[in-house]
Amino acid sequence: MALDNGDKAPRKGVWKSGKGKGRHHTKGRQLHDDAWDEVRAVLGDAPRRADLLIEHLHKIQDQYGHLSAAHLRALAEEVRMSMAEIYEVATFYAHFDVVKEEDTPPPALTIRVCDSLSCELAGAQALKTALQDGLDPTEVRVLRAPCMGRCDTAPVLELGHAHIDHATPEKVQAAIAAGEIHAHIPAYQNYADYTADGGYARLQDLRANGDWEAVQDTVLASGLRGLGGAGFPSGKKWGFVRANPGPRYLAVNGDEGEPGTFKDRHYLERTPHLFFEGMLIAAWAVEAETCYIYMRDEYPAVLQILRREITALEDAGIVAPGYIDLRRGAGAYICGEESAMIESIEGKRGMPRHRPPFVAQVGIFGRPTLVHNVETLHWVARICREGPQVQSGIEKNGRTGVRSYSVSGRVAQPGVYALPAGSTIVDIIEAAGGMAAGHVFKAYQPGGPSSGLLPARINDVPLDFDTLQPLGSFIGSAAVVVLSEHDSAKAAALNMLRFFEDESCGQCTPCRVGCEKAVKLMQQDTWDQNLLEELSTAMVDASICGLGQAAPNPIRLVIKHFADEI
């Protein structure tokens, strides 16, 4: 509607024509044709879907070593999304380096030094300092990083995409000189070897003649529970998902980020097709239209193995091309939470959803989704091939089944040990060759930092589901880290809370602020126990997901069992 300005001449409007007074383009970063051409070349013929945003960001980061503002603007144009949406995702994940116009891009080579508990005990801080002092920062960037899932070979670092086990500055210098910056692929059982041993025969039989409810009953009879940490009966999930109308999906949680955990990597680097067959049996049971595998970026060798063997499955006609959709994480521990993982699969920030509804009802793209852990599917295949007794036939201390314990710290032979679920910490240390020379058992983390620390005197309790809750702990992912008299429980708890502070997604205030406040309080010479307990209660009661709810466990257990240190 025209404005009435009396007898005056009509105004020319807000877009003035005077020199220097008009705007020649819209607000915001401008699209540069050369950057747009570069982004198009990197993406190639990949679909320009929003759920592939993180995959697109990886391609650009891999090609150029960082994400420039010009490339992000071009990507926004190419996938028809706002710059704000692109930027919030790119800055959420630790493995993306966003470089603004005025910033200097990072050096071509990055070293990430793990500083989680097992590596900390093995001298990670001294290693990081030595590398920072001994390398040219204009050529090599040295960063701290959370657990890389190689705790059995601590201290560990990642040089480019190559891991160096039992790392030393000398090993790093030699690797840089030799240009060894790519993942080393271990020997593993490939498709041909697996099928020669009867692999996929059970899957083919079920597809032709199987009854999904009978298979579900077999899995339930085995007693198998989710081995990612939650421990929900595995077979029951199938019925919950099938009860909802299709289309349905299956999502594999391969984001094994709980510090001290490396069992999934252990199995995938040796027998990946046991996992694949278990996954495809579960997908058949719920009539999943697509299987999404969400694998952490810290496992570059596993990602290469999975890509190779997915191609082999497609070539053999076991699955149709594209039926298995491999997604690459980007350095966010929170994406181990199932709803945060689904958000990430959809190309968003990995922030946990409020529940209900549960993912079995509203999962990927709002459809019913079956979520399983890697090791759980490994056992699904074995149960279907060998019978439920492979789990239910193993008994010890009144417990049934087998647990894969990731054992590290002050033991003689760190590694993954498949032991009866009724095993105590004494049994686990014995399986790992006993304590390392010169070390006396003091304390242990039974299931990752979320489980806190227990003293050596609590040594007769089976490390299994439901047995540790009365002690204020839980088994979680069965990531066992053993401490000795040379170690400080107070310092170990601080290491755990620093991890949670770094990895909190920031969505809810109790977790975001609570972890930060806890770290500040725990750095004091003497802990304010009353204030820490008040803070812990608020975090447990009000945090959205398990990260904030479990983060106070190390605080509470150190106050209870190691009061002389605080």
Side-chain angles (χ1 to χ4, degrees):
M1 182 176 69
L3 295 176
D4 182 8
N5 61 345
D7 297 330
K8 298 179 182 178
R11 296 179 180 177
K12 293 183 178 180
V14 296
W15 290 91
K16 299 177 181 178
S17 60
K19 184 176 180 181
K21 297 182 179 180
R23 189 183 303 124
H24 300 290
H25 51 70
T26 58
K27 289 183 178 181
R29 286 187 170 89
Q30 302 308 299
L31 178 64
H32 299 293
D33 289 340
D34 55 347
W36 197 3
D37 290 340
E38 289 169 349
V39 166
R40 284 171 166 168
V42 169
L43 299 190
D45 59 0
R48 272 44 170 179
R49 303 197 313 263
D51 65 287
L52 293 173
L53 175 58
I54 294 171
E55 298 298 309
H56 297 333
L57 291 169
H58 271 305
K59 290 180 179 179
I60 299 170
Q61 173 88 26
D62 290 344
Q63 179 68 27
Y64 294 100
H66 63 280
L67 301 173
S68 70
H71 283 145
L72 291 179
R73 175 64 183 88
L75 180 61
E77 188 74 19
E78 185 67 13
V79 297
R80 312 303 298 167
M81 295 174 66
S82 71
M83 184 65 178
E85 291 174 293
I86 302 291
Y87 186 80
E88 73 173 11
V89 172
T91 54
F92 181 85
Y93 295 95
H95 288 191
F96 295 138
D97 295 306
V98 176
V99 177
K100 297 182 180 179
E101 290 86 351
E102 66 275 11
D103 295 337
T104 302
L109 192 57
T110 294
I111 294 175
R112 288 184 166 88
V113 182
C114 175
D115 68 355
S116 289
L117 184 56
S118 296
C119 287
E120 184 92 4
L121 297 177
Q125 292 301 329
L127 173 64
K128 178 172 172 283
T129 300
L131 292 172
Q132 289 174 328
D133 293 342
L135 297 171
D136 184 350
T138 63
E139 296 181 359
V140 182
R141 177 176 58 161
V142 180
L143 304 175
R144 60 152 299 278
C147 186
M148 298 176 184
R150 307 183 76 87
C151 317
D152 51 334
T153 57
V156 171
L157 58 79
E158 188 177 26
L159 175 64
H161 289 298
H163 286 103
I164 298 180
D165 299 325
H166 303 296
T168 64
E170 294 75 22
K171 285 186 178 181
V172 173
Q173 293 279 12
I176 292 174
E180 296 178 354
I181 60 173
H182 302 292
H184 304 292
I185 310 301
Y188 65 92
Q189 185 184 45
N190 61 21
Y191 175 77
D193 295 335
Y194 185 70
T195 53
D197 193 34
Y200 295 108
R202 183 59 176 146
L203 171 67
Q204 301 284 36
D205 179 57
L206 289 173
R207 285 176 169 177
N209 309 299
D211 176 357
W212 78 268
E213 290 180 309
V215 178
Q216 177 183 243
D217 291 341
T218 299
V219 174
L220 288 170
S222 73
L224 181 66
R225 296 172 65 171
L227 298 172
F232 191 82
S234 300
K236 283 188 178 180
K237 286 186 176 182
W238 298 6
F240 292 157
V241 174
R242 280 289 294 248
N244 294 282
R248 308 181 191 94
Y249 299 110
L250 181 145
V252 178
N253 191 338
D255 199 63
E256 188 177 48
E258 189 76 17
T261 314
F262 48 98
K263 60 185 179 61
D264 291 353
R265 177 184 65 81
H266 173 88
Y267 287 120
L268 289 174
E269 289 184 346
R270 289 162 176 79
T271 55
H273 283 281
L274 264 176
F275 152 71
F276 275 128
E277 186 164 15
M279 178 189 76
L280 293 174
I281 288 172
W284 161 81
V286 300
E287 298 180 336
E289 291 199 357
T290 304
C291 295
Y292 292 91
I293 301 176
Y294 189 88
M295 185 56 54
R296 67 188 310 225
D297 196 34
E298 291 85 349
Y299 288 175
V302 170
L303 283 161
Q304 288 197 39
I305 290 170
L306 294 179
R307 289 189 192 105
R308 286 182 187 175
E309 300 310 310
I310 289 170
T311 299
L313 290 172
E314 292 175 349
D315 292 343
I318 300 294
V319 297
Y323 181 72
I324 301 175
D325 192 339
L326 178 62
R327 298 297 180 91
R328 178 180 167 191
Y333 164 76
I334 193 62
C335 291
E337 197 277 338
E338 63 179 8
S339 66
M341 175 192 68
I342 287 173
E343 289 286 295
S344 191
I345 288 172
E346 293 180 356
K348 306 170 187 174
R349 294 176 295 169
M351 289 191 166
R353 298 174 178 176
H354 290 270
R355 288 173 287 189
F358 297 93
V359 299
Q361 302 164 300
V362 181
I364 298 174
F365 308 131
R367 304 309 309 165
T369 303
L370 174 65
V371 178
H372 274 315
N373 162 262
V374 168
E375 191 201 352
T376 305
L377 294 170
H378 170 98
W379 284 105
V380 166
R382 289 198 57 184
I383 290 164
C384 291
R385 291 183 61 177
E386 304 170 42
Q389 67 275 7
V390 296
Q391 280 282 340
S392 62
I394 308 297
E395 295 186 14
K396 182 171 183 174
N397 291 331
R399 311 298 299 180
T400 300
V402 176
R403 291 305 305 262
S404 298
Y405 297 98
S406 304
V407 187
S408 62
R410 307 299 193 181
V411 293
Q413 299 167 15
V416 173
Y417 294 91
L419 301 173
S423 299
T424 65
I425 188 61
V426 174
D427 299 321
I428 292 168
I429 292 175
E430 182 181 354
M435 293 295 293
H439 291 273
V440 177
F441 181 33
K442 173 183 177 177
Y444 62 105
Q445 170 189 284
S450 302
S451 67
L453 278 176
L454 294 175
R457 67 176 180 274
I458 301 179
N459 60 8
D460 59 351
V461 178
L463 268 61
D464 193 16
F465 295 118
D466 310 321
T467 60
L468 297 173
Q469 277 82 342
L471 303 174
S473 183
F474 55 87
I475 187 59
S477 59
V480 179
V481 180
V482 178
L483 277 64
S484 78
E485 294 292 346
H486 294 291
D487 306 315
S488 162
K490 177 183 178 183
L494 179 58
N495 176 280
M496 298 175 194
L497 264 294
R498 280 178 170 151
F499 169 77
F500 291 130
E501 179 188 24
D502 287 339
E503 296 299 331
S504 172
C505 75
Q507 179 178 188
C508 64
T509 303
C511 176
R512 181 185 68 250
V513 178
C515 288
E516 179 185 4
K517 183 66 173 178
V519 167
K520 290 179 179 177
L521 292 171
M522 295 167 73
Q523 289 175 325
Q524 303 301 313
D525 292 337
T526 302
W527 285 8
D528 186 333
Q529 297 184 31
N530 291 332
L531 186 55
L532 279 168
E533 176 55 34
E534 185 178 342
L535 180 64
S536 297
T537 299
M539 292 173 67
V540 171
D541 290 348
S543 295
I544 291 173
C545 80
L547 192 158
Q549 294 164 8
N553 285 342
I555 302 171
R556 287 174 160 173
L557 288 173
V558 167
I559 290 174
K560 181 176 181 180
H561 297 296
F562 303 96
D564 58 313
E565 294 191 23
I566 60 171

